[in-house]
Amino acid sequence: MTVSPDDLTHAMLVAVLMDSGGSLTIPADAFEPDSLGGPDGSWHTVTMEPRHDGRIRLSVCPRRPGDAAGVRYE
């Protein structure tokens, strides 16, 4: 099964919301350009790191440039 970056992003958002009781209130400035992307104009991306307690840590990081961007499993 191939997972697109869009599908994975949607799944992560839904998982975060469901874990927070179905909704989450954030400040409106969370959607400002400086919050959504880096200084070079690229979007941020999310990494998923399995934890020893069976949970998964989601972290925001700069998106890789060019062909290195996208879904990657390690």
Side-chain angles (χ1 to χ4, degrees), residues 19 49-57:
D19 190 61
E49 176 188 351
R51 309 299 289 176
H52 295 302
D53 62 0
R55 297 173 62 89
I56 297 172
R57 177 180 296 219

Side-chain angles (χ1 to χ4, degrees), residues 26 28-45 60-63:
I26 61 174
D29 64 1
F31 289 96
E32 292 293 324
D34 288 348
S35 298
L36 296 174
D40 64 353
S42 64
W43 294 89
H44 289 307
T45 191
V60 175
C61 63
R63 182 181 161 109

